Amino acid sequence: MTIDFLNKKIEKSINDLYNVDIPSNFCQIIKTKSDFEGDFTLIIFPFLSFSKTDLLTTANEIANILKDFDEIDSFNIVKGFLNLNLSDGFLSNLFKTAVESKNYGFLSSKSNSETTLVEFSSPNTNKPLHLGHIRNNLIGFAISNIFKACGHNVKMVQVINDRGIHICKSMLAWLKYGNGKTPASEKVKGDFFVGQYYILFEKKLKEEINKIGDKNIIPNILIEAQEMLVKWENKDPKIIKLWNMMNNWVYEGMDITYKKLGIVFDKNYYESDTYLDGKRIVNEFLDKNIFFSKEDNSVWVDLSKYNLDEKLLLRSDGTAVYMTQDIGTAFSRYKDFNFDNMIYVTGNEQNYHFQTLFKILEKLSCQWAKKCFHLSYGMVDLPTGKMKSREGTVVDADDLIDKMRNESFNLIKKSNKFDDFNDEEIKDLSNIVGDGALKYFILKVDSKKSIMFNPEDSIDFNGNTAPFIQYTYARINSVLSKKKDFKNCYNSFEEMGSVEKALIKIIIEFPNCIKQCKESLNPAFLANYIYHLAKTYNKFYQKVPILDGSRNENFRLTISKKVSLVIKNGMRLLGIDVPNRM
RNA sequence: GGCCCUGUAGCUCAACUGGAUAGAGUACCUGACUACGGAUCAGGCGGUUGAAGGUUCGAAUCCUUUCAGGGUCACCA
């Protein structure tokens, strides 16, 4: 519970009472558990050392002062817990402020706002996006929106891994076995088309290894790929042309997927550019003896005194590795944006990598190194084990999105509630519902935890889901459409009902909820908040007649309207749409 | 093996970062529509928070030990 000024007021009263400066973390105010009566609860235990008396006496001493506050109506004491009831008048005021504030919960960015870069997605250009990328994209997009809502000037960026041996593999396979086929000639989406050749390469490689039967002999096809990488680095025109063509196929395919996900980046960085920056920087600091080289000319950084080992930065043949590229990218970004924060959204398999990267940046005296954060999320696993694109055991992003949309379509088709909808309208609605179900399913889980995804029965349309929330929104919308012009009203003419009170208390938490998501780098908190709000509203809807012509009608309409706005704007932060009807 | 993360109802997840009798959904069993929209609501069943110690008024949360699962320790990305 965070009503800042009330917290401060209480804190001050207690300070005065005991005539000491009580550390602010001693004043713990929490929401009252639903089993007890009260709106919020002050925990008494910490004050015992100042009151020098027993628990009950202390609680009463404090309660006696607080009960005279206008904001507080009544209290009760249970053990070391002082439960306080807010007065209806005070709640009304808070509610009024919330309703009347423009862009409630959202701070707008100003010229002196912090600039925050969020890096996410960052795909390889040799295969389509899969379920793991979906989680990455959803978290990255949501956290970007959340930082925006906190007034940051946010830039969404990615680095596209468009070069390297893995890219050459799909290129080589296409050259050898493609027979000039193209995505257009085969009517296959470009990223899937290229992905097929990546898998084909791995298959041929495996066949050749089996045929050779000697681990020490490098298969020809792999040597060819390595040769191709060297040609690429030497800018062989034929190879560059092929590379451009195939990468473009992939980009065309990915554009469609990003469009489905509703994601647009502010700036793309390409590894094919930044790896050169990285090499330059590494060599520069090699000269300054920050890095060192070994006999074979490979370049290393020694981080062993930070518990992080030695790390390779340039291969003995002078070519770049992943880390090299990431150093170059980071420098470019700082030059481009002079950011205050940079957040990398990647799977937790890269925890060690980012620890190392940040430490290296520190060693390079980048004062911005401590402004870099790693939002590390858990892997998405299938019942059959880990997803491996090399083996083709992945859930493709497009397939999954389409499956959800279709399921939603069928659900709507057979409900006969939408007889006045044409197929186009049904399709639009099923996209909103299907996409929502998928996105919410992933975002409601604490980002650092891994997700077990069972393709058969993972995603539900009932319970703690987006469709449940969307339905609540649509139903409020329906009520509101029956009474278009009502006058805002912030108080009940009788004592406020418990559900109305509960709703108002949730509504006034919205800004704080967003802040918490930002601080913990975890959108799941918002997802669960919205669910809780929707659930409480449904209870209200069932229990309390809204349009009953009574003098409380406007109060209930005002609550309904505000709930719908919080739902809509909260879901928007998560990248989820809400329909006017469903 | 070293380091990191995770173990909560049959299953999927919460628990406002140390607060009260650990809550939701789902599944299963009841009950509620001549409707402001039933993709809803109300009730029941379901727990030694992996285990054992410790810290304190108070532990799912912090510390130690231990068990289980995952990740990582590449001249892969």
Side-chain angles (χ1 to χ4, degrees):
Chain A
M1 195 78 176
T2 46
I3 307 169
D4 279 343
F5 85 93
L6 185 57
N7 288 14
K8 291 217 173 71
K9 198 168 161 185
I10 291 172
E11 204 177 308
K12 185 173 181 306
S13 302
I14 296 172
N15 280 359
D16 292 348
L17 174 64
Y18 298 118
N19 199 23
V20 283
D21 255 339
I22 293 171
S24 60
N25 61 348
F26 273 46
C27 193
Q28 294 175 59
I29 295 171
I30 57 168
K31 279 180 213 157
T32 304
K33 285 242 155 198
S34 57
D35 312 328
F36 299 90
E37 201 216 317
D39 295 315
F40 69 98
T41 297
L42 180 69
I43 295 165
I44 300 299
F45 295 102
F47 305 120
L48 289 181
S49 53
F50 302 106
S51 69
K52 308 269 194 302
T53 173
D54 63 280
L55 209 50
L56 193 63
T57 313
T58 310
N60 272 303
E61 275 173 2
I62 295 173
N64 266 322
I65 296 174
L66 302 189
K67 76 174 182 348
D68 293 332
F69 285 15
D70 289 340
E71 294 87 354
I72 289 162
D73 192 50
S74 61
F75 71 90
N76 65 82
I77 297 164
V78 181
K79 292 193 272 180
F81 301 90
L82 171 57
N83 300 321
L84 299 156
N85 282 302
L86 293 174
S87 68
D88 281 9
F90 179 57
L91 270 178
S92 293
N93 280 338
L94 291 174
F95 180 47
K96 182 166 188 268
T97 309
V99 171
E100 290 180 351
S101 87
K102 250 191 184 164
N103 295 322
Y104 178 59
F106 291 70
L107 301 172
S108 48
S109 71
K110 304 191 179 86
S111 56
N112 61 347
S113 293
E114 287 183 48
T115 296
T116 297
L117 260 60
V118 182
E119 179 202 287
F120 61 101
S121 198
S122 301
N124 294 340
T125 56
N126 62 346
K127 56 183 184 242
L129 301 180
H130 58 64
L131 177 53
H133 292 108
I134 290 189
R135 188 174 196 191
N136 183 306
N137 275 275
L138 296 182
I139 291 174
F141 188 60
I143 213 71
S144 300
N145 292 336
I146 285 164
F147 270 78
K148 273 183 202 167
C150 292
H152 285 231
N153 173 23
V154 173
K155 299 289 173 198
M156 296 190 277
V157 298
Q158 59 175 338
V159 58
I160 296 174
N161 301 115
D162 62 345
R163 51 131 244 146
I165 188 74
H166 52 295
I167 307 299
C168 291
K169 287 176 178 177
S170 43
M171 283 160 63
L172 184 65
W174 183 82
L175 269 186
K176 289 172 90 83
Y177 312 106
N179 297 323
K181 289 178 189 166
T182 67
S185 73
E186 304 307 298
K187 298 194 169 47
V188 177
K189 208 162 155 276
D191 47 347
F192 280 78
F193 180 82
V194 172
Q196 285 169 6
Y197 288 95
Y198 182 65
I199 294 170
L200 181 62
F201 178 94
E202 293 296 334
K203 195 180 142 208
K204 295 284 180 188
L205 176 64
K206 215 171 240 173
E207 282 172 15
E208 205 174 322
I209 290 171
N210 287 339
K211 218 157 91 190
I212 298 168
D214 182 347
K215 273 191 165 172
N216 294 316
I217 300 173
I218 304 173
N220 272 325
I221 192 165
L222 191 57
I223 292 173
E224 283 181 77
Q226 285 165 347
E227 285 171 355
M228 188 183 262
L229 181 61
V230 174
K231 281 186 188 167
W232 181 89
E233 291 220 10
N234 292 331
K235 304 222 182 312
D236 179 316
K238 266 170 80 180
I239 299 299
I240 295 290
K241 197 178 161 202
L242 173 66
W243 174 72
N244 273 322
M245 179 177 75
M246 289 186 73
N247 274 351
N248 281 326
W249 289 343
V250 173
Y251 297 143
E252 280 166 23
M254 282 182 178
D255 277 351
I256 294 170
T257 312
Y258 282 129
K259 198 166 252 170
K260 281 186 195 167
L261 289 170
I263 291 172
V264 181
F265 290 89
D266 293 302
K267 182 164 171 118
N268 291 338
Y269 290 82
Y270 294 87
E271 193 186 324
S272 51
D273 297 328
T274 60
Y275 88 105
L276 291 169
D277 297 328
K279 279 168 83 163
R280 188 179 42 73
I281 293 161
V282 169
N283 281 317
E284 183 188 327
F285 285 91
L286 174 64
D287 293 342
K288 294 180 181 167
N289 290 323
I290 305 282
F291 303 140
F292 69 96
S293 54
K294 294 192 176 175
E295 291 148 15
D296 62 359
N297 282 331
S298 55
V299 179
W300 297 75
V301 61
D302 181 9
L303 300 173
S304 49
K305 70 173 162 183
Y306 309 106
N307 219 357
L308 290 168
D309 295 323
E310 293 181 349
K311 188 80 194 169
L312 178 85
L313 299 176
L314 288 176
R315 294 190 186 101
S316 50
D317 62 3
T319 55
V321 291
Y322 184 51
M323 184 63 80
T324 326
Q325 167 273 125
D326 251 345
I327 294 171
T329 311
F331 271 73
S332 301
R333 286 181 183 155
Y334 190 71
K335 205 177 89 203
D336 291 347
F337 293 103
N338 189 24
F339 55 76
D340 298 288
N341 313 284
M342 173 152 63
I343 299 165
Y344 290 89
V345 181
T346 79
N348 60 16
E349 58 190 351
Q350 297 195 42
N351 284 357
Y352 179 74
H353 172 78
F354 281 101
Q355 272 182 38
T356 310
L357 174 65
F358 298 162
K359 191 52 84 180
I360 290 172
L361 294 175
E362 237 173 73
K363 273 185 92 83
L364 302 187
S365 320
C366 303
Q367 78 284 12
W368 43 272
K370 54 182 177 301
K371 298 171 177 173
C372 297
F373 305 94
H374 181 205
L375 195 174
S376 146
Y377 61 85
M379 300 282 96
V380 184
D381 296 323
L382 304 175
T384 46
K386 226 179 126 98
M387 287 192 284
K388 291 208 171 79
S389 32
R390 224 177 277 188
E391 291 164 23
T393 59
V394 293
V395 175
D396 287 308
D398 287 314
D399 294 349
L400 182 57
I401 294 168
D402 293 345
K403 189 185 156 214
M404 294 305 300
R405 289 178 171 188
N406 287 336
E407 240 168 79
S408 172
F409 186 88
N410 295 334
L411 212 64
I412 291 164
K413 245 324 203 204
K414 74 172 182 214
S415 86
N416 76 30
K417 248 189 331 189
F418 303 94
D419 293 343
D420 59 324
F421 273 33
N422 62 36
D423 269 10
E424 197 58 33
E425 286 169 314
I426 294 183
K427 224 176 118 189
D428 287 346
L429 178 57
S430 43
N431 289 358
I432 292 175
V433 175
D435 291 359
L438 172 61
K439 291 176 176 179
Y440 186 88
F441 174 81
I442 289 171
L443 284 172
K444 75 173 174 183
V445 182
D446 187 337
S447 45
K448 69 171 178 289
K449 290 190 177 172
S450 58
I451 290 182
M452 171 64 81
F453 182 81
N454 186 344
E456 298 312 311
D457 54 21
S458 258
I459 300 182
D460 219 328
F461 290 81
N462 302 306
N464 185 356
T465 64
F468 173 90
I469 295 165
Q470 290 167 325
Y471 173 77
T472 309
Y473 176 83
R475 202 160 59 168
I476 297 175
N477 205 51
S478 164
V479 175
L480 293 174
S481 69
K482 292 190 166 55
K483 195 90 185 185
K484 286 208 169 63
D485 296 309
F486 65 90
K487 201 164 162 286
N488 279 344
C489 174
Y490 308 107
N491 59 288
S492 171
F493 285 88
E494 287 91 40
E495 197 182 327
M496 229 184 252
S498 61
V499 206
E500 282 100 327
K501 258 179 121 167
L503 283 170
I504 291 175
K505 283 191 284 181
I506 299 171
I507 288 168
I508 61 176
E509 279 289 311
F510 184 49
N512 184 47
C513 173
I514 296 173
K515 206 171 126 203
Q516 251 186 64
C517 289
K518 176 203 163 226
E519 277 161 12
S520 56
L521 294 181
N522 181 19
F525 194 69
L526 176 60
N528 287 299
Y529 164 89
I530 299 169
Y531 170 67
H532 181 56
L533 174 62
K535 193 173 160 49
T536 310
Y537 184 83
N538 282 337
K539 192 183 284 194
F540 167 72
Y541 180 92
Q542 204 81 20
K543 200 174 156 186
V544 183
I546 298 167
L547 300 175
D548 62 350
S550 79
R551 52 188 183 163
N552 283 325
E553 200 175 272
N554 283 347
F555 177 52
R556 291 170 186 159
L557 281 164
T558 311
I559 291 180
S560 300
K561 175 79 186 169
K562 192 63 194 172
V563 169
S564 78
L565 283 173
V566 171
I567 287 177
K568 184 180 187 165
N569 293 329
M571 291 293 261
R572 203 181 73 208
L573 289 178
L574 298 177
I576 301 173
D577 248 336
V578 287
N580 292 326
R581 254 185 76 183
M582 76 179 272

